[in-house]
Amino acid sequence: MKTLEWRRNELIILDQTKLPAEETYRRCTSWQDVKDAISVLAVRGAPAIGVAAAYGLVLGASELLRRKITDTAVFSAGLATVAAALDAARPTAVNLHWALTRMLKTAEKELAAGKSSAAITLALEREAVTLHAKDIEINRSISAYGAAAIIMQKGAKKLTVLTHCNAGALATADIGTALGVIRALHKRGLIERVYADETRPLLQGARLTVTELKADGIPVTLITDSTAGWVMKTGRVDAVIVGADRITANGDTANKIGTYSVSVLAKEHRIPFYVAAPLSTFDLSMTKGEEIPIEERHHDEVRRLRDVQLALADADVFNPAFDVTPHQNIEAIFTEKGTIEKPSETTVSAFFRT
């Protein structure tokens, strides 16, 4: 299963809302199609939506060309409008904003060089393809650093790992971040079992993580979110590894709702809690987690499960998509450039200075 595939002027997206029952794909031929796919979580995971948005901007540029907008100033303004709309699709995952910012800088560079609207569009396509390929490299590097750090701390012994949500191939362009580390450990024969939280309310752990790990032959056991504390208490978990959607300058980390609770449980049971994420997930303009915008999604995601009514249709609901894990609960953050041990304002700052 390919999460994303670019065919000239068309982005093919695996519809993750249908997994694991159906493997179906969305053909995105306009930037609006891409925005909708991101909004409804057909494509999800911070790195993957960044890459998708980059291709979405290419489709937006192509649309401007079809409308015969050749005045480069007007063309540039149109690109900015499309980028803003794509950026608003998911406000918490900073990779989305990072990718679009990088794409717009590419357009600005071409514009400053006096290039035509058509040439700018081609440059944007090249940049999106580069971002896509780079994410594959980043996944591999994060996985290698993460596995090495865990082996150094835990030794070369088989481990049982707990993960929350899905930070695997379906959330990225390759093997994943958190699941990439798990895959790297598995290749070394060092994974005894993975416990996958179901991850309410959309069950990305149950639907996606379990599907990925079983396909790779990695032993995995699905548990309800409320079971995590008990499997830790009964000594079944050696480490927790999760992904991230935004990391602030002090190491506070936003991830799928429920991650904070898992971090508190891990801290209580003295189990190391690791985060695996690319450098593009860091937002150093924010000093702490309280500054991160938290997306709240439609209430029916909690009141219903697909076509099944779980609660009264008019029940009041609070449905934040993310929560924030304080840096004090995190043992280390694995990136493509190395590991940040005991993340804090000091260690994060030092890491980015090297």
Side-chain angles (χ1 to χ4, degrees):
M1 294 185 292
K2 282 189 176 181
T3 305
L4 299 163
E5 184 178 359
W6 176 249
R7 300 172 188 166
R8 188 162 180 79
N9 288 324
E10 186 174 271
L11 180 62
I12 310 301
I13 290 176
L14 173 65
D15 190 345
Q16 296 186 37
T17 65
K18 304 292 180 62
L19 292 174
E22 299 176 41
E23 183 179 336
T24 60
Y25 293 83
R26 287 183 172 224
R27 293 176 61 252
C28 299
T29 57
S30 70
W31 70 265
Q32 294 92 339
D33 291 341
V34 177
K35 180 179 182 294
D36 183 58
I38 293 171
S39 297
V40 302
L41 306 186
V43 59
R44 40 142 308 276
I49 63 176
V51 174
Y55 285 124
L57 195 61
V58 177
L59 292 172
S62 297
E63 179 182 311
L64 292 170
L65 281 181
R66 286 195 299 273
R67 288 162 51 191
K68 302 188 185 308
I69 297 177
T70 56
D71 182 292
T72 52
V74 177
F75 185 83
S76 181
L79 285 179
T81 299
V82 172
L86 289 166
D87 201 8
R90 299 293 306 277
T92 301
V94 74
N95 304 66
L96 175 60
H97 181 74
W98 173 85
L100 289 168
T101 298
R102 180 164 165 170
M103 293 288 286
L104 288 176
K105 285 182 178 178
T106 296
E108 289 167 8
K109 183 179 177 180
E110 296 294 308
L111 181 63
K115 299 295 181 67
S116 67
S117 298
I120 293 171
T121 301
L122 288 174
L124 286 172
E125 182 177 13
R126 288 194 299 270
E127 185 65 11
V129 170
T130 298
L131 286 174
H132 195 169
K134 187 66 176 175
D135 190 56
I136 295 172
E137 295 177 20
I138 287 170
N139 279 207
R140 302 281 170 169
S141 187
I142 290 172
S143 302
Y145 276 117
I150 291 174
I151 290 169
M152 183 169 290
Q153 184 177 80
K154 291 287 190 178
K157 64 176 184 178
K158 283 198 169 187
L159 302 173
T160 297
V161 175
L162 184 143
T163 191
H164 187 77
C165 196
N166 173 263
L170 294 170
T172 65
D174 192 45
I175 59 174
T177 53
L179 292 196
V181 175
I182 290 170
R183 285 181 164 106
L185 290 169
H186 176 66
K187 281 187 176 180
R188 292 168 171 81
L190 299 179
I191 289 293
E192 182 70 37
R193 179 159 298 277
V194 177
Y195 281 102
D197 287 348
E198 60 182 349
T199 317
R200 284 282 297 149
L202 297 180
L203 305 178
Q204 290 100 322
R207 295 188 300 106
L208 308 179
T209 295
V210 171
T211 300
E212 279 197 44
L213 294 180
K214 283 186 71 67
D216 277 3
I218 299 174
V220 57
T221 297
L222 175 63
I223 59 174
T224 65
D225 291 3
S226 54
T227 304
W230 187 244
V231 297
M232 293 184 195
K233 171 69 174 177
T234 52
R236 291 179 169 90
V237 178
D238 300 303
V240 176
I241 310 175
V242 300
D245 288 85
R246 191 184 299 237
I247 304 173
T248 59
N250 70 345
D252 290 350
T253 300
N255 194 50
K256 177 65 181 177
I257 190 72
T259 306
Y260 167 70
S261 302
V262 173
S263 79
V264 172
L265 290 166
K267 188 174 184 179
E268 169 67 20
H269 295 97
R270 298 181 180 178
I271 295 168
F273 181 97
Y274 302 108
V275 173
L279 294 178
S280 57
T281 302
F282 283 81
D283 185 353
L284 301 184
S285 72
M286 294 185 173
T287 59
K288 56 186 178 180
E290 288 83 353
E291 299 169 27
I292 298 174
I294 299 298
E295 174 188 4
E296 185 172 355
R297 294 183 59 80
H298 198 284
H299 294 176
D300 277 345
E301 289 183 353
V302 177
R303 291 189 292 229
R304 302 180 63 86
L305 185 58
R306 293 186 174 172
D307 296 328
V308 179
Q309 190 79 34
L310 301 177
L312 293 173
D314 61 351
D316 288 340
V317 172
F318 178 48
N319 184 26
F322 303 92
D323 56 26
V324 178
T325 296
H327 64 272
Q328 297 93 333
N329 292 5
I330 301 171
E331 181 71 22
I333 300 174
F334 308 134
T335 80
E336 70 270 29
K337 296 296 183 182
T339 297
I340 305 174
E341 302 281 356
K342 305 292 184 184
S344 67
E345 184 178 356
T346 301
T347 57
V348 171
S349 177
F351 182 82
F352 276 89
R353 285 199 306 269
T354 57

